[in-house]
Amino acid sequence: MILKQNVNIVCVCVGDKYNKTHVNRLYKMVKRHCSLPFSFYCISDQQQDVNTIFIDQSLDLESYWWKMVLFNLDWDNITLYLDLDVVI
């Protein structure tokens, strides 16, 4: 029997270009097509319907730079970043 390692799947939703609908749509696609056990996170400035990691707004970054916050977080598992406009 092969044990499958849990993976983290992360997206970023900051500002008003994308919203909860986009986050939920991405989560549903991952849930439908990912055969590995996973934890889904969203780095955001607003509470999401999934696990939310709130941004440090004092960093005052442009919207596309918030992805860099991924490197400051201590992940225990393999982590995959997905943009909100990806289709799985």
Side-chain angles (χ1 to χ4, degrees):
M1 177 178 180
I2 297 174
L3 297 175
K4 294 183 178 180
Q5 180 182 359
N6 190 64
V7 296
N8 297 319
I9 299 179
V10 185
C11 64
V12 175
C13 184
V14 177
D16 56 2
K17 182 174 181 180
Y18 298 103
N19 57 40
K20 284 185 179 184
T21 302
H22 298 94
V23 174
N24 292 334
R25 184 179 304 138
L26 179 61
Y27 171 75
K28 288 176 186 174
M29 286 188 285
V30 169
K31 186 175 178 183
R32 187 177 316 123
H33 297 288
C34 184
S35 61
L36 296 173
F38 69 91
S39 298
F40 192 91
Y41 298 94
C42 182
I43 297 173
S44 184
D45 55 348
Q46 299 178 12
Q47 180 65 50
Q48 300 294 324
D49 295 335
V50 298
N51 298 318
T52 305
I53 299 171
F54 289 96
I55 61 169
D56 178 2
Q57 293 188 354
S58 69
L59 296 174
D60 195 31
L61 299 172
E62 293 291 330
S63 61
Y64 46 85
W65 285 107
W66 287 109
K67 295 174 190 177
M68 304 314 277
V69 172
L70 284 164
F71 297 105
N72 289 338
L73 299 173
D74 187 25
W75 301 105
D76 292 334
N77 298 316
I78 294 171
T79 302
L80 171 67
Y81 170 78
L82 296 173
D83 279 327
L84 288 173
D85 60 354
V86 71
V87 175
I88 301 172

